[in-house]
Each structure stands twice: as C-alpha cells, then as structure tokens.
Amino acid sequence: MTLAAARIDTGDTAWLLAATALVLLMTPGLALFYGGMVRAKSVLNMLMMSFVSIALVTVVWLVAGYSLAFGDDAFAGLVGGLGQSGMSGLGPGSVHGTVPTLLFAAFQLTFAIVTAALISGAVADRAKFSAWLVFVPVWTLLVYVPVSHWVWGPGGWIVDRLGALDFAGGLPVEITSGASGLALCLVLGPRLGFKKDAMRPHNLPMVILGAGLLWFGWFGFNAGSALGANGLAAAAFLNTLAAGCTGLLGWLVVEQRRDGHPTTLGAASGAVAGLVAITPSCGTVSLLGALVVGLAAGVVCSYAVSWKFRLNYDDSLDVVGVHLVGGVIGTLLIGLFAERAMTGGVEGLFYGGGLVPLGRQLLAVVVVAVYAFGVTYGLGRLLDKVMGFRASEEQEHTGLDLTVHAETAYDHGVLGHGAPVSHSVPAGSAQKVKAQP
C-alpha cells in the first residue's frame, strides 16, 4: 500500500462521493424550480439553460478551472496556477486531505455548475440561448474561478490573508450569482410587459418539486463541505435543516401579515432563502445561530424580491432578492454568531469577538459583490455588442421554447391559470391583469 493510499479515509471518501452526487442533483432541481416559475411558453428553455450549464462548466473546469481555483497560488492570493490544467498529474493515488483529489475536484465542480445555472433565473424569458452558451464558460473562468481561489484556494486572500469565514460558498456561489444576475438584468433590460402583465408561475407543483430536490441536495452542499464523515458535517447538516425551516416560516409570516395569505411559492422561496443564508455559516454558527440566520433570510428576502418594482430592474425569478440578499445576510451574520466551538477560534460579536470579525465579513462581501457585478456587466455588454444577448421581440412574445428549440412542453392548452400570483407581480395588480401563458 502506497503512502497516499494509506492517507485515504474510506468513510470520508464514501461520504464525499454521496455529497458530490447530491450537489449535482441540485442543478436538475434548480431547473425544475425555475421551470415551474416561468410561463408555459418558455419552460423548456429555462430547463435547458440549467442542463447545458452542466456540460459547459464541466469542460471548462477540467481543462483549466480547477487548476486556477485550487492550484498553488500564482499571484498575491488572487488566482492559482496552471500546473494542473487538464487534471495533469492527478491520478487515483493523489490525495486532498483524506479523500482522493479527483473526488475533491469533482465535488467542487458541482458547486461551479449550480452557480452558473443560478444566474439564468435573472434573465428568464428573454436571453438568447446562443449567447448563454458563450457566457457560461467565460463567466466561470473570469468570475467563479478567481473568487473560489480567494475563498478556498491555497493562499487565497479572503480566508488565508483577510481572515473572513465562508464554510460552504456564500461568497463564491450565492453572492457572485446574485450580483452577476443583477448585472445581466441591467444589460438585457426588462421583459415585455414587465410591471404591466401578470407573469405567474405556470406550474407550482414543479416549483415545489424543484425546491425539494434543492433542499435534499443542499445537505451534500453544506455537510459535504466538511470533507469528511465527522461531527462538523453533522453540525452543518442539522444547521442546514434548521435554517431552511425558519426561512420557510419567516417568509410565510410576512406573506400572511402583508398579503393576507401564505402561498405555495412563498413556502418554496422561503426555504431556499434560508438555505442560501446558512450556506456560508453552517459550519461556523450553533443551532441557535442557524435558526436566526434562516429566519432573518426568510423575512428580509420576502421583502427584497419586491425591490425590483421600485428600482425598475427585471430580475425574473428573484435571483437578486433571494441569492444576493440571502448570501449577504448569511455571510455577515457570521460576524455576529460565530462560535469558537464551531470555528476553532473565531468568535462573533455576540460571543465576545468584537467588531473585527464583522468588519472582515463586510469587506469580503463588498469586494466579491463589486467584482462579480463589474466583470459580469462588462462581459454581458461585450456579448450583447458582438452577438446580441437579448432574444428578439417576436421570440419573446411567441415563447423561446418554440422559436429557439422547436419544441413545446405541453400539447393541450395552457396550464397554470389557477396558480396564485407570484412575487413577480406588483402588489395590487392581481385583480387587474389576466394570467398570461
């Protein structure tokens, strides 16, 4: 038995294999979650934007992404080197901690896939599929890969140098996708009929199924980030469950008080908001902290999704309101609720750690959000100028399923006329506008 093989822990490896599969399942779950929220005429296009991200990001990750994100630091904590491009030098005997390096690379790949797919919700119903095929791999290399190195890579400046904390991806996953989604909203402009037509989710059972698959996969996302079958994984697992529950309840309470009725879409969105917020903090806060993090996200995000109507940006499926806002909440609350028993040293303000940890978290949030927004905005503008990023008016009116993919999801009529109004409809407009297909 080689020394490398002797370092591999079979229990840790088995758990990470399962966690990797769970996280990969999140992207099909996201496809269903998003697919149910759009109108029936563009549901297949929404599904395709998630599924094609699996293929695009995988190729980019294996060729160069993994090496740039997790290779030895090449420049001031900003990016890794190209020594492992094409997975060069990595074989069955290569070890990362107590698991095979190839497995660690696959686990991290699933994070990159779902992050890119998340952005599609911000530009649903109106983005050119051909432009999306170019955007995803370029964005992965320019935005996701560097931020992953800052947070998780050897010598990355956010964790290793600044000392900010992010257990499972609040910065590289949630905040980058949310800020990037906002940038693309501004590049593409609003959908036809934004703030005039009711744009209801056409299939709420599909939304709930997608949310359930996301929640299921999130246990691999968060508990898998312990990289071992151990007590930290168990704590992250329980924190993930708790925050999802309080996020769901918090959103429903707001809906009941504000609108007079709790909705199915609200329950699904609240659970996702809680899961988003606990992602960075699941390995740093206690169970009490997790309950507070989830509740805060459920309440705040339920209000944040309506900001687009006041500020006039069309975030179709509320990527900004849930993932950016939820990611910021979860990352900042580490500075308040972090406990030494979880972190091994760092404590938040409420546990005697002072303001320094909170300041570090805030700086990390601002830098990552500004970087992701700026690069994505520039990339979106470039693609729009070179090949056009916005679908034509005719395509958008008819629906992207038929005009782009020559397919339709349903053969008989339009579904979803009885669905509750989504949080994509301005308050008070539900009785004024008929449901659109």
Side-chain angles (χ1 to χ4, degrees), residues 79 159 211 259 397:
V79 71
V159 173
D259 308 323
H397 179 76

Side-chain angles (χ1 to χ4, degrees), residues 65-220:
Y66 174 75
S67 184
L68 290 170
F70 291 95
D72 291 337
D73 186 62
F75 182 73
L78 298 178
V79 71
L82 290 170
Q84 296 174 333
S85 297
M87 312 307 285
S88 175
L90 301 179
S94 301
V95 179
H96 181 96
T98 59
V99 300
T101 305
L102 292 176
L103 174 56
F104 174 76
F107 179 64
Q108 295 296 339
L109 163 62
T110 59
F111 281 60
I113 291 169
V114 75
T115 305
L118 282 169
I119 302 170
S120 65
V123 292
D125 287 335
R126 64 195 189 280
K128 287 178 65 174
F129 189 68
S130 57
W132 181 252
L133 295 179
V134 177
F135 171 81
V136 168
V138 178
W139 181 89
T140 300
L141 286 174
L142 293 183
V143 178
Y144 183 82
V145 164
V147 177
S148 291
H149 184 77
W150 300 352
V151 176
W152 295 317
W157 76 268
I158 286 181
V159 173
D160 287 356
R161 303 188 185 200
L162 176 63
L165 299 178
D166 185 348
F167 188 76
L171 294 164
V173 177
E174 309 300 351
I175 292 177
T176 61
S177 62
S180 297
L182 177 59
L184 287 192
C185 288
L186 299 181
V187 171
L188 270 65
R191 289 166 291 178
L192 298 176
F194 176 62
K195 296 201 295 186
K196 297 178 182 178
D197 298 335
M199 299 179 181
R200 306 183 181 199
H202 87 281
N203 192 327
L204 283 169
M206 184 186 292
V207 174
I208 286 291
L209 175 59
L213 290 173
L214 282 169
W215 200 338
F216 180 62
W218 229 300
F219 290 116

Side-chain angles (χ1 to χ4, degrees), residues 9-318:
D9 184 285
T10 54
D12 292 347
T13 300
W15 164 234
L16 198 61
L17 283 166
T20 300
L22 286 170
V23 183
L24 182 60
L25 182 64
M26 292 178 72
T27 299
L30 179 71
L32 292 173
F33 183 67
Y34 279 172
M37 289 175 69
V38 297
R39 291 168 288 180
K41 62 185 180 179
S42 294
V43 56
L44 296 180
N45 177 260
M46 198 73 258
L47 297 174
M48 279 287 286
M49 291 178 81
S50 286
F51 267 83
V52 78
S53 298
I54 299 175
L56 293 170
V57 177
T58 295
V59 172
V60 168
W61 189 257
L62 297 179
V63 171
Y66 174 75
S67 184
L68 290 170
F70 291 95
D72 291 337
D73 186 62
F75 182 73
L78 298 178
V79 71
L82 290 170
Q84 296 174 333
S85 297
M87 312 307 285
S88 175
L90 301 179
S94 301
V95 179
H96 181 96
T98 59
V99 300
T101 305
L102 292 176
L103 174 56
F104 174 76
F107 179 64
Q108 295 296 339
L109 163 62
T110 59
F111 281 60
I113 291 169
V114 75
T115 305
L118 282 169
I119 302 170
S120 65
V123 292
D125 287 335
R126 64 195 189 280
K128 287 178 65 174
F129 189 68
S130 57
W132 181 252
L133 295 179
V134 177
F135 171 81
V136 168
V138 178
W139 181 89
T140 300
L141 286 174
L142 293 183
V143 178
Y144 183 82
V145 164
V147 177
S148 291
H149 184 77
W150 300 352
V151 176
W152 295 317
W157 76 268
I158 286 181
V159 173
D160 287 356
R161 303 188 185 200
L162 176 63
L165 299 178
D166 185 348
F167 188 76
L171 294 164
V173 177
E174 309 300 351
I175 292 177
T176 61
S177 62
S180 297
L182 177 59
L184 287 192
C185 288
L186 299 181
V187 171
L188 270 65
R191 289 166 291 178
L192 298 176
F194 176 62
K195 296 201 295 186
K196 297 178 182 178
D197 298 335
M199 299 179 181
R200 306 183 181 199
H202 87 281
N203 192 327
L204 283 169
M206 184 186 292
V207 174
I208 286 291
L209 175 59
L213 290 173
L214 282 169
W215 200 338
F216 180 62
W218 229 300
F219 290 116
F221 200 95
N222 287 354
S225 294
L227 303 181
N230 52 40
L232 184 57
F237 191 105
L238 185 57
N239 283 346
T240 299
L241 176 60
C245 291
T246 53
L248 185 157
L249 295 173
W251 194 298
L252 292 186
V253 167
V254 171
E255 282 192 328
Q256 180 65 49
R257 290 177 60 86
R258 181 186 60 198
D259 308 323
H261 48 264
T263 67
T264 306
L265 181 61
S269 300
V272 171
L275 294 166
V276 165
I278 200 59
T279 293
S281 54
C282 61
T284 60
V285 302
S286 66
L287 180 58
L288 175 61
L291 292 169
V292 174
V293 167
L295 182 62
V299 171
V300 175
C301 291
S302 65
Y303 288 106
V305 296
S306 66
W307 294 348
K308 61 188 176 185
F309 299 116
R310 302 178 201 172
L311 302 178
N312 204 35
Y313 64 90
D314 185 9
D315 173 20
S316 304
L317 307 183
D318 301 313

